[in-house]
Amino acid sequence: MDKILRIDVGAAGGPKATEVPVGEYAGLGGRALTSAIVSREVPPLCHPLGADNKLVIAPGLLSGTTGAMSGRISVGCKSPLTGGIKESNSGGQPSQVLARLGYAAIVLEGQPKGDDLYKVVINKSGVKITADNSLKMLPNYDLIEKMKKEYGDKVSCISIGPAGEMKLSAASIAFTDMEQRPARHAGRGGVGAVMGSKQIKVIVLDDTGMGMRAAKDPEKFREANKRFVEGLRKHPVTGQGLPAYGTNVLTNIVNEVGGYPTYNFKQGRFDGASKISGETEAETETKRGGLATHGCHRGCVIQCSGVYNDKDGHYLTKQPEYETVWAHGGNCGISDLDAIAKLDFLDDNYGLDTIEMGATIGVAMEAGLAKFGDAQAAINLVNEVGKGTYLGRILGNGAAVTAKVFGVERAPVVKGQAMPAYDPRAIQGIGVTYATSPMGADHTAGYAVAQNVLKVGGDVNALKPEGQIELSRNLQIATAAIDSTGMCLFIAFAVLDQPETFQALLDMLNTFYGLNLTGDGVTDLGKKVLKMERDFNARAGFTAQHDRLPQFFKTEQFAPHNVTFQVKDEDLDKVFNW
Ligand code: SF4
């Protein structure tokens, strides 16, 4: 991974690829690399869909190795949804393949001339870019079938659906999984719209003939990886809960503690929770011949995913995650798991962020466009987006835009991005992360649910403001570092809870690269990433006033605990004081 592939989509005669040495970005991977490139090369005040924005796609530091869990990929740009810096990451096969092809990153830059749509094919012989207008407005699943016919059943793909081509702010970028399904997405922040603005429909990756990346000390790397995997297997969350029920194991847990946002963040418990829980989902999948335990890429040992079949036993979608089940389920008052799975498929197929779309439909229901609980109406609304009707284009620009257009005050967004599946009044630590993350409302940026609810890695009272600032700060720092390794964030449960598993991760990095990284070094990396991101946002015009939750979280009591968000503004301003 010593080179960067830069594709100038505005070059004379059509997009032009150039390979350049990694240079000043050496030693960075994943989020650290995407945020470094965006922060140094993108003018913060540029239009996110214009010539000056860049889309950076980067595997992690350990991607393409035999290291377990190392297949996450980061996508960075200036976000059309938030107007700030964005890193959105995904599972799937492309991270491993891109790393084995030797690329630290792909950077799409410039502005296309004309309206041709392009595909990029990368293999060990080089890069080929061709105009292919037969791909225009193809949904992701049809597109990937076409790519399989053309390039075979070994390639992996990075693509956008119609939502990306329409440059909607909720558009995602899809990454194919082990079965070549476009079911893994960098969903957040409208990264798909930026890829659409560069008029690149799909990047096909073929690593035939390329070997695994070799460690500096292969023997010690193998041994560290073994300890790392043992640590993941013995922890109750990564060894049992996530493999058995996936992330949707959280539905019953978060509902029970009264932090499950229901009917567009009106109350903390949903009557229909048991019908859409991880337990019900896993049972349904197994009964129909799907899978309740499955990995999104080779080398995943936690395997939090699965395969969801329809009533006739045919593939419908990958196992919808907790956030998706919540967004299209409880948040919209929907307790029909098949309808939720259908919505997950539609989002993946059109190339849309499931969290943003679920939150948007919740807002649309509050506006009276449909009734809470009406699953068919929700499906119809997502289809409006896929068809690109005027209503669909409003919805496809997310919860904040939809709330504005339809006069809804209660928009659950921070920096324009919709909140995920944890109410910040009943789980105050996650509220601090939502408010202050440079990404906008993002649970993965500092997952305080672990200490507030699951009591993993510490114990902080979820209903009280005390201790939440420090908790969110430490988690945001650790997350920024983990997001740079290419490791799935779910390793954090074991790594933060078991010092020997954290040490194993350090040993993997050190033996692979010949480094002497310590725990303090990891903390420094996390701080460096956050500092770059916050600096970009400051130059883009963000102030402390943007690090706030919407007013209704401070004034509306949230049942069953009848609490409001209690963390003071002046304390939110201390999150990044280290
Ligand atoms: S634990 Fe889940 S999200 Fe993480 S790599 Fe495995 S399947 Fe993908």
Side-chain angles (χ1 to χ4, degrees), residues 52-278:
D52 288 338
N53 200 6
K54 302 192 181 198
L55 187 81
V56 187
I57 304 171
L61 288 171
L62 290 173
S63 298
T65 75
T66 53
M69 312 298 306
S70 60
R72 300 292 294 191
I73 194 161
S74 290
V75 180
C77 57
K78 174 170 172 167
S79 164
L81 188 70
T82 69
I85 198 166
K86 175 54 60 183
E87 186 267 356
S88 179
N89 71 58
S90 173
Q93 282 296 102
S95 187
Q96 307 282 26
V97 176
L98 193 56
R100 280 198 284 273
L101 283 163
Y103 295 105
I106 299 174
V107 183
L108 306 182
E109 46 198 17
Q111 192 159 41
K113 299 176 173 67
D115 59 2
D116 281 339
L117 194 60
Y118 293 90
K119 70 182 169 199
V120 180
V121 180
I122 307 173
N123 56 30
K124 73 170 187 176
S125 309
V127 181
K128 194 167 169 215
I129 306 172
T130 42
D132 188 345
N133 292 320
S134 72
L135 308 180
K136 278 191 177 173
M137 296 306 269
L138 278 187
N140 276 312
Y141 275 84
D142 291 347
L143 170 72
I144 300 307
E145 278 309 309
K146 204 164 183 321
M147 293 302 103
K148 276 161 67 179
K149 282 199 185 101
E150 282 179 41
Y151 302 102
D153 59 3
K154 298 280 187 295
V155 297
S156 50
C157 297
I158 302 170
S159 64
I160 53 169
E165 285 186 62
M166 289 187 276
K167 294 177 261 187
L168 305 179
S169 292
S172 64
I173 295 178
F175 296 81
T176 49
D177 62 12
M178 291 192 288
E179 288 77 26
Q180 289 185 302
R181 290 167 176 150
R184 307 288 146 185
H185 289 247
R188 310 243 60 200
V191 291
V194 180
M195 189 158 159
S197 75
K198 305 300 182 197
Q199 288 166 219
I200 303 288
K201 177 74 173 175
V202 59
I203 301 171
V204 181
L205 302 165
D206 181 355
D207 65 349
T208 306
M210 306 298 291
M212 287 282 179
R213 293 175 63 215
K216 277 243 159 66
D217 188 335
E219 197 49 49
K220 287 205 174 126
F221 179 73
R222 201 173 308 124
E223 186 272 329
N225 186 40
K226 189 163 167 262
R227 278 186 282 124
F228 180 63
V229 170
E230 280 165 8
L232 296 175
R233 291 218 162 108
K234 84 171 186 205
H235 193 277
V237 175
T238 51
Q240 293 158 27
L242 286 171
Y245 302 115
T247 53
N248 199 17
V249 70
L250 286 163
T251 293
N252 279 334
I253 296 170
V254 179
N255 194 55
E256 184 60 32
V257 300
Y260 191 77
T262 303
Y263 306 127
N264 190 29
F265 289 77
K266 284 245 172 61
Q267 62 190 54
R269 287 208 178 113
F270 178 45
D271 283 348
S274 68
K275 292 188 196 154
I276 58 174
S277 69

Side-chain angles (χ1 to χ4, degrees), residues 413-417 419-420 424 427-443 445-446 469 472 476 534 537 542-550 553-554 565 567-569 571-573 575-576:
V413 303
V414 179
K415 302 184 180 78
Q417 180 167 285
M419 281 180 197
I427 308 174
Q428 306 242 335
I430 202 71
V432 176
T433 299
Y434 288 166
T436 61
S437 166
M439 300 298 150
D442 179 352
H443 61 299
I469 296 293
S472 178
Q476 290 196 57
R534 281 181 53 81
N537 281 358
F542 283 72
T543 67
Q545 295 312 309
H546 294 90
D547 288 346
R548 302 287 184 261
L549 298 185
F553 289 101
K554 297 181 197 169
F565 185 64
V567 181
K568 294 195 179 82
D569 288 354
D571 290 332
L572 291 174
D573 294 340
V575 168
F576 298 98

